[in-house]
Amino acid sequence: MDGTVNATKPHTTWPAYAAPECASPLVKGDLVFVPLNENIVCYELATGKKLWEQAVDEKAYSSLVAVGDKVIFISQGGTILVFKAAKEYQEVFKSDLGEGSDSTPAIAGGRIYIRGSSNLFCFGAK
């Protein structure tokens, strides 16, 4: 809110259906990426207009993480999906951890750390 909205009148920019169950939405530039049920949805930040929706077949409790121009998604079942932070869906990478995960990835020192249900995974360039 920029202070110009009359607080006595309802003002909605984002509809309630755009809210995820557990994970936090990710804002990257003028886009918002939301893990929503078994989908990832991309909205225009200023208007809330849906730009695309991609089925991922599994819910996620972990929040999305941006690395450069890419977004990392990890499902509860352990699917890792990397896609471009763009107005059209563009998958870059997809793999399986081999176990579930409810944790948001951590990025440090050029590496990605993911806590699975039984193991801690570390990915990075050699």
Side-chain angles (χ1 to χ4, degrees):
M1 311 254 319
D2 63 7
T4 61
V5 175
N6 182 345
T8 61
K9 294 183 181 180
H11 175 77
T12 303
T13 301
W14 287 85
Y17 66 81
E21 182 179 332
C22 185
S24 298
L26 171 71
V27 175
K28 181 75 173 155
D30 61 347
L31 303 174
V32 179
F33 301 93
V34 181
L36 196 58
N37 299 319
E38 288 86 23
N39 299 294
I40 299 170
V41 186
C42 175
Y43 297 97
E44 188 174 68
L45 178 62
T47 65
K49 175 185 172 190
K50 185 192 310 184
L51 300 177
W52 56 261
E53 184 169 353
Q54 177 66 36
V56 290
D57 299 327
E58 296 180 85
K59 285 185 178 184
Y61 283 156
S62 68
S63 297
L64 301 171
V65 175
V67 178
D69 68 342
K70 295 173 185 62
V71 177
I72 301 171
F73 164 88
I74 301 176
S75 74
Q76 285 184 286
T79 299
I80 302 171
L81 181 63
V82 179
F83 57 92
K84 288 195 175 188
K87 292 183 179 185
E88 293 181 9
Y89 180 76
Q90 300 172 49
E91 185 176 301
V92 174
F93 175 81
K94 187 174 184 178
S95 189
D96 185 31
L97 279 177
E99 63 186 67
S101 178
D102 289 332
S103 301
T104 299
I107 312 296
R111 295 190 171 106
I112 300 170
Y113 297 90
I114 301 170
R115 183 175 54 87
S117 56
S118 299
N119 295 286
L120 176 64
F121 298 89
C122 176
F123 301 94
K126 288 186 176 185

